[in-house]
Amino acid sequence: MALVTPDKMFQKALKEDYAVGAFNVNNMEIIQGIVDAAKEENAPLILQVSAGARKYARPAYLVKLVEAAILDTGLDIVLHLDHGEDFEICKKCVDDGFTSVMVDGSKYPFKENVALTKEVVEYAHAHGVSVEAELGRLAGIEDNVSVDKRSASFTDPDEAAEFVKLTAVDSLAIAIGTSHGAYKFKGDPYLDFERLKIINKLIPDTPLVLHGASTVLPEFVSLCNRYGGDIPGAKGVPEEMIREAVKHGVCKVNIDTDLRLAMTAEIRKHLTDHPEDFDPRKYLGPARDAIQAMVSHKIRNVLNASGKR
Ligand code: G3H
Ligand code: 13P
Ligand code: ZN
């Protein structure tokens, strides 16, 4: 049991057609819910921390909570920085003991993205830390772009191959139609599987990462709305599409929004059903159980749907 890098997990997942879940963490209950599910399902696990999570929980807390989770469960866990926007935050996380960092230079032109990624790879690899980069942009419907413009920002397969060669990055996040948050599609959900297949063919040994992979399960949106929430028109990536992506080289699947919805639905329901409760443990306990159930569902039905792990 230890903090580990994701490399072995990815190589095994690539060979056996399943994916490793990368779940965003912000506090103790979220971490406990996720690790309890991973233990129950005997699944490999990445816990990822965004810049926002670092700011909210303060850096030392999340590292120590993840170390505590390892002690408590006996699991090997990857501690990953999600969307590091510059060299400094990546360096800080490497220095803090993270075993994996994402440098997100996707907003820059190709050359600048390569330069930033190389700088992070050099530092991280010298410290035994794995690096994920991103090429292509994840435009959401909130970005107000047309379907044509949206696909213009998808990852170019030849550029992806060139990018991996130039940077020696360990895994690559690609844009094929997903986006962050609860509003991913206006009309029918669409992912560019042909593009994904070409990328996977050109760089078959590079683990591909799917950001924005939450499904925004309607029952959780409805629960939130029934108990006083206001989340109209939310739509995510159907689970069938994630299962399909996993067959074509995607072996890290990023999930945050589905955890947020599960937790919030449970807290809203609990406080409505039990207006007399004011002990936070009374609603954070069930919220932790809701996270665990969501993560178990993802591992069983989406990430390891092939049953090959
Ligand atoms: O990629 C975004 C993740 O959902 C993290 O979100 O930046 O609000 O923590 P956050
Ligand atoms: P979702 O918003 O779809 O959960 O995506 C999370 C993510 O990509 C974190 O990097
Ligand atoms: Zn992301």
Side-chain angles (χ1 to χ4, degrees):
M1 58 170 189
L3 274 178
V4 295
T5 64
D7 310 293
K8 278 192 191 140
M9 284 182 190
F10 286 159
Q11 288 315 319
K12 194 165 179 300
L14 265 182
K15 265 194 218 124
E16 296 174 20
D17 275 351
Y18 64 86
V20 183
F23 300 98
N24 286 74
V25 298
N26 294 279
N27 67 12
M28 183 186 78
E29 283 78 7
I30 295 174
I31 291 173
Q32 289 176 333
I34 297 168
V35 298
D36 287 352
K39 189 173 166 89
E40 188 178 73
E41 303 294 333
N42 192 24
L45 179 63
I46 298 172
L47 294 179
Q48 55 189 13
V49 172
S50 69
R54 255 178 117 246
K55 194 166 167 207
Y56 171 78
R58 293 178 234 158
Y61 285 82
L62 289 176
V63 174
K64 292 296 169 196
L65 282 170
V66 172
E67 286 172 3
I70 289 170
L71 268 182
D72 185 43
T73 60
L75 289 174
D76 286 337
I77 296 177
V78 176
L79 176 56
H80 174 77
L81 167 67
D82 192 26
H83 296 283
E85 66 166 8
D86 53 32
F87 175 78
E88 284 65 37
I89 189 167
C90 293
K91 179 180 181 301
K92 269 192 201 126
C93 288
V94 169
D95 296 346
D96 282 352
F98 282 51
T99 49
S100 178
V101 292
M102 174 190 191
V103 52
D104 183 356
S106 61
K107 63 176 182 236
Y108 298 117
F110 184 82
K111 260 190 166 174
E112 279 90 326
N113 191 355
V114 167
L116 172 63
T117 302
K118 273 177 86 168
E119 193 186 6
V120 171
V121 166
E122 201 169 299
Y123 188 79
H125 283 184
H127 292 78
V129 171
S130 188
V131 181
E132 170 187 332
E134 178 165 324
L135 190 65
R137 301 205 63 188
L138 270 69
I141 55 169
E142 70 276 17
D143 295 322
N144 224 355
V145 289
S146 66
V147 175
D148 276 359
K149 275 207 186 124
R150 206 175 169 189
S151 55
S153 66
F154 289 176
T155 308
D156 177 87
D158 293 321
E159 279 192 0
E162 182 70 5
F163 187 88
V164 168
K165 199 164 85 189
L166 290 172
T167 59
V169 78
D170 302 288
S171 60
L172 186 68
I174 46 152
I176 56 166
T178 61
S179 61
H180 293 113
Y183 300 93
K184 301 187 193 295
F185 304 100
K186 255 191 194 130
D188 289 339
Y190 167 76
L191 296 191
D192 192 341
F193 287 112
E194 287 318 306
R195 186 179 296 267
L196 173 61
K197 286 178 197 168
I198 300 170
I199 296 171
N200 184 218
K201 211 169 183 184
L202 290 177
I203 44 173
D205 299 327
T206 301
L208 302 178
V209 180
L210 197 62
H211 283 249
S214 279
T215 291
V216 189
L217 293 149
E219 56 267 43
F220 291 87
V221 177
S222 303
L223 257 187
C224 285
N225 288 338
R226 192 182 324 147
Y227 289 98
D230 184 17
I231 318 173
K235 196 184 281 182
V237 187
E239 292 185 336
E240 184 48 42
M241 288 191 172
I242 307 293
R243 287 193 283 269
E244 183 61 23
V246 170
K247 292 181 193 156
H248 304 291
V250 167
C251 58
K252 175 173 180 270
V253 170
N254 283 15
I255 296 170
D256 187 0
T257 299
D258 280 337
L259 303 185
R260 293 176 176 188
L261 287 169
M263 188 168 201
T264 300
E266 184 55 44
I267 292 174
R268 281 194 174 284
K269 181 176 183 312
H270 185 94
L271 291 177
T272 305
D273 290 348
H274 302 278
E276 73 284 4
D277 276 353
F278 56 88
D279 176 345
R281 293 171 296 188
K282 292 270 169 56
Y283 51 88
L284 290 178
R288 177 173 59 192
D289 295 343
I291 294 270
Q292 181 177 350
M294 176 63 78
V295 172
S296 280
H297 164 78
K298 294 285 175 185
I299 293 169
R300 239 181 253 181
N301 302 308
V302 184
L303 306 174
N304 188 33
S306 68
K308 290 187 185 164
R309 185 171 50 73

